[in-house]
Amino acid sequence: MAGSIAAAPPRKRKRRNGERRLAFWLLLPAILAVFGIILYPLYRTVLISLFEVKSAVAVDPPFIGLGNFQEALSSPGLWSATGRTLYFTLVSTGIELVLGFLVAWLLNKKFRGRWIVQALIILPWALPTIVNAAMWKGIYNAQYGALNGLLSQLGLIDQYQVWLADPFLSLNLVIIADAWKTTPLVAIFLLAGLTAIPSEIYEAARVDRAGPIRSFFSMTLPLLAPSIALVLVLRTVEAIKVFDIIYAMTRGGPANGTQTISYYAYVTAFSEQNYGLGSAIALIVLLIVLVLSTVYLRLMRRSEMSML
Amino acid sequence: MKPSRTSQFFTYLLAVVVSVCCIAPLAWTAFASIAKQSDIVAKPARWWPSELYLDRYREILFNPDSSVGSAFRAALMNSLVVGASTVAISMAVGILGAYAFARLNFPFRRTTLMVFLVTYMLPQISLLIPLYMILNQLGLLDTKLGLILVNTSLVVPFTLWILSNYFMTIPKELEEAARIDGTTRLGALFRIILPSARPGIFAAVMFSFLLAWDEFMYALIFTATDASKTIPVAISEFAGRYTTDFGLVAAGGLIAAIPPVIIALVFQRQIVSGLAAGAVKG
């Protein structure tokens, strides 16, 4: 390649330079938008995390090196928030994968009224996150919530419960609200993977008298692996960053029971006005996301290689 | 081979269960938005309004003297302005950049595209603090312009990705024929690529709008008054303040859900196939 560049006639080289210049100008707006509003602020976050910044307009704040990180890592609040975030991520992604597969499997079948189901599952996905949070907050409400109304009419509870009073229960109820909205997306992704599997494979399995369970584990699952991996990466990254639904449903309560790590960083920076410490925690969130997505990408690449 | 009767039965059973799960929470919210407060708090619970009660919709949509209503209407307008501007800017930026990625040869092409994509993984919280300080210095806190700028940074990676993938599917020959006739590269972009990329452009517009309409964290921190508060911020304030008046929250929430839900239902096929294409390509 390098030799051919050197040997290229001047006219061709000129054209290539023109192309590079054009590419630069065409990309300049995107570079300004993304680098100016993402990478430069990220660099500033790193800087702020090294100083003791206790005001948004602080002048000459004292440099404390990794002091903020030390303080963050030695505070029990960070560790319990991390634990809750991992629990949230694991359980919500798990529920979404299982239910999403069920819905995808259903939509991959031919039956009358299939288009209605497909239109209906789009609804939760399209609902704005905050509206979804407000809706579920109403459903769980202790005085008028639909959950109390339904369970007591079914005779499953004697009296109305205050659902969002117990910290651990609240975390699980937020997970249900989140899973309701995001399962459709997972289902659509998995459906795309399922429709790509040729039906001849199943017929061959039937000829070989493989039962439905065996054909699921030995054929559907491996063939669906790339779609599952992609969904897993997307949902895990989103779940670790979770903030909006927590803010709108519980504000991290009760007793910090739903305080995830992003929310913890937000409270530290904007409620306690400790911007340095908040930045350090935010960078820890970033680090978790980066480590997990790298691990995933490695695993994906390896599984692709083994499939080849 | 015909599916057995039991498997058909389970298919329909599952279809009904899935449909009910999707619709029930929304149906109850719709009920609460048009039912009198006495119906909402009735014990045993009621599931159907005793009479149609539309005062909440009237208040938040039309009543000029209601502070709740004027805050809601201001937020609706802000969301529309911020959403439309974000989409317009992101599309312009995305179309130019995507053309470079799809058609031009330049060093570090793949790496640059990857850097743009990876920014999507970055948690907003890790940019929130400096952005707050920068917007504060520039006097852009609590302005729509400030929100449009930060939203654009979230949306551009998406438009770049969707559009450059789409542009690559357009045969190069179309463009080369025009170039031989003396059209410049930019001329070819506008006269050849854009018209044939209409479905891709359409999908990018839809996704950008949905993203901008749903954005919450930046809007929460960077806005303070009716001058720039968006719909998600207004709804979260409603939900925090009027916990006893769920009907009001429900009415506001359903109005806020109308634009994205209509987009999703009308363009269902494009959205599903757009997502699916991304999934298969992975």
Side-chain angles (χ1 to χ4, degrees):
Chain A
M1 226 17 227
S4 74
I5 289 173
R11 200 164 149 191
K12 223 174 178 180
R13 200 183 308 155
K14 206 168 153 194
R15 205 179 120 191
R16 183 160 35 227
N17 279 340
E19 215 171 288
R20 284 183 185 179
R21 210 166 305 137
L22 182 63
F24 172 76
W25 287 111
L26 289 179
L27 276 171
L28 189 65
I31 291 173
L32 284 180
V34 168
F35 287 61
I37 312 175
I38 293 180
L39 296 183
Y40 172 66
L42 186 61
Y43 159 76
R44 289 262 304 248
T45 305
V46 175
L47 277 189
I48 296 168
S49 74
L50 303 175
F51 290 84
E52 192 177 312
V53 187
K54 303 233 164 163
S55 148
V57 287
V59 186
D60 279 336
F63 178 81
I64 52 169
L66 294 177
N68 284 319
F69 288 91
Q70 244 164 16
E71 190 182 340
L73 291 175
S74 63
S75 86
L78 178 95
W79 292 102
S80 44
T82 308
R84 279 188 289 266
T85 308
L86 292 181
Y87 178 83
F88 181 96
T89 304
L90 226 71
V91 176
S92 66
T93 312
I95 293 177
E96 287 156 23
L97 260 186
V98 172
L99 295 184
F101 178 79
L102 214 62
V103 175
W105 177 80
L106 174 71
L107 290 176
N108 195 33
K109 281 183 172 292
K110 283 198 186 78
F111 62 93
R112 234 176 295 156
R114 201 187 77 103
W115 65 275
I116 302 178
V117 182
Q118 179 146 342
L120 288 180
I121 71 150
I122 292 261
L123 290 177
W125 175 76
L127 203 67
T129 311
I130 297 302
V131 176
N132 182 48
M135 179 178 85
W136 284 93
K137 196 178 170 193
I139 290 174
Y140 296 144
N141 186 282
Q143 277 92 44
Y144 54 75
L147 184 63
N148 272 331
L150 184 69
L151 291 182
S152 80
Q153 276 183 11
L154 291 173
L156 294 171
I157 50 172
D158 297 334
Q159 56 192 39
Y160 278 22
Q161 306 287 314
V162 188
W163 296 105
L164 294 173
D166 177 72
F168 184 61
L169 182 61
S170 299
L171 183 58
N172 286 295
L173 291 173
V174 174
I175 289 176
I176 292 175
D178 185 64
W180 183 80
K181 178 173 158 56
T182 40
T183 298
L185 181 75
V186 176
I188 290 170
F189 272 109
L190 295 184
L191 178 63
L194 275 182
T195 42
I197 300 178
S199 56
E200 290 84 31
I201 290 186
Y202 289 101
E203 270 149 37
R206 216 164 309 170
V207 172
D208 288 346
R209 298 189 177 196
I213 294 173
R214 230 196 88 193
S215 70
F216 172 76
F217 280 104
S218 62
M219 295 186 329
T220 313
L221 218 47
L223 286 170
L224 210 53
S227 308
I228 294 177
L230 180 78
V231 161
L232 218 55
V233 176
L234 285 179
R235 287 308 311 151
T236 308
V237 169
E238 287 293 313
I240 287 175
K241 299 193 284 196
V242 66
F243 174 85
D244 301 2
I245 194 170
I246 305 279
Y247 182 92
M249 270 184 83
T250 60
R251 303 271 155 105
N256 293 342
T258 57
Q259 199 180 64
T260 56
I261 186 160
S262 282
Y263 197 84
Y264 184 60
Y266 157 80
V267 169
T268 307
F270 290 96
S271 303
E272 294 167 12
Q273 301 271 303
N274 195 339
Y275 294 96
L277 185 58
S279 297
I281 300 168
L283 287 175
I284 294 173
V285 183
L286 174 68
L287 208 69
I288 298 177
V289 170
L290 285 184
V291 166
L292 262 177
S293 36
T294 321
V295 169
Y296 271 138
L297 286 177
R298 281 271 161 80
L299 287 178
M300 268 165 82
R301 210 163 292 161
R302 194 174 302 161
S303 69
E304 261 169 47
M305 299 255 272
S306 67
M307 273 168 72
L308 289 173
Chain B
M1 199 164 160
K2 250 194 135 123
S4 71
R5 196 164 277 185
T6 37
S7 109
Q8 278 243 305
F9 171 75
F10 279 112
T11 304
Y12 280 105
L13 184 69
L14 188 60
V16 170
V17 171
V18 169
S19 306
V20 168
C21 285
C22 286
I23 211 76
L26 290 167
W28 181 71
T29 309
F31 151 78
S33 76
I34 54 164
K36 285 203 133 158
Q37 180 72 0
S38 55
D39 284 345
I40 301 175
V41 298
K43 271 192 204 180
R46 308 190 50 142
W47 308 102
W48 199 253
S50 55
E51 58 175 299
L52 191 62
Y53 179 75
L54 294 174
D55 280 17
R56 299 187 193 93
Y57 283 100
R58 245 174 245 133
E59 183 181 352
I60 52 180
L61 284 179
F62 305 115
N63 186 347
D65 306 320
S66 143
S67 65
V68 181
S70 58
F72 186 83
R73 288 188 299 270
L76 207 56
M77 273 313 291
N78 290 338
S79 267
L80 283 173
V81 171
V82 170
S85 315
T86 304
V87 170
I89 299 175
S90 308
M91 286 306 293
V93 171
I95 285 172
L96 296 179
Y99 182 81
F101 281 125
R103 282 292 192 270
L104 300 177
N105 259 318
F106 57 95
F108 305 114
R109 198 175 62 96
R110 270 199 74 80
T111 320
T112 320
L113 185 58
M114 282 316 282
V115 170
F116 278 114
L117 280 184
V118 164
T119 61
Y120 159 76
M121 299 243 185
L122 297 180
Q124 272 173 278
I125 185 87
S126 66
L127 313 174
L128 198 58
I129 296 164
L131 279 178
Y132 177 77
M133 295 173 176
I134 295 167
L135 290 178
N136 188 23
Q137 279 168 353
L138 297 175
L140 288 176
L141 279 183
D142 200 21
T143 63
K144 289 188 270 292
L145 180 61
L147 269 191
I148 292 166
L149 285 177
V150 293
N151 280 349
T152 300
S153 76
L154 294 178
V155 176
V156 161
F158 268 90
T159 54
L160 270 179
W161 176 244
I162 297 178
L163 292 173
S164 59
N165 272 338
Y166 207 91
F167 289 176
M168 278 183 226
T169 64
I170 297 167
K172 269 192 182 149
E173 290 74 28
L174 275 180
E175 202 186 334
E176 270 155 18
R179 301 248 296 131
I180 288 167
D181 292 343
T183 316
T184 59
R185 278 221 179 255
L186 284 182
L189 166 61
F190 286 106
R191 253 172 276 155
I192 312 288
I193 303 263
L194 289 192
S196 21
R198 220 173 278 151
I201 289 175
F202 204 67
V205 168
M206 295 297 128
F207 277 111
S208 310
F209 184 77
L210 291 178
L211 265 180
W213 190 262
D214 205 26
E215 200 288 321
F216 178 66
M217 198 193 265
Y218 286 161
L220 174 73
I221 307 292
F222 303 152
T223 68
T225 67
D226 287 350
S228 65
K229 266 184 201 168
T230 57
I231 271 288
V233 179
I235 300 287
S236 98
E237 276 178 7
F238 276 23
R241 203 175 299 153
Y242 308 107
T243 41
T244 48
D245 192 359
F246 181 66
L248 187 73
V249 179
L254 288 179
I255 294 172
I258 287 174
V261 164
I262 286 183
I263 289 177
L265 286 181
V266 173
F267 305 110
Q268 202 192 124
R269 197 171 304 155
Q270 287 88 333
I271 289 175
V272 169
S273 64
L275 287 173
V280 170
K281 211 167 272 169

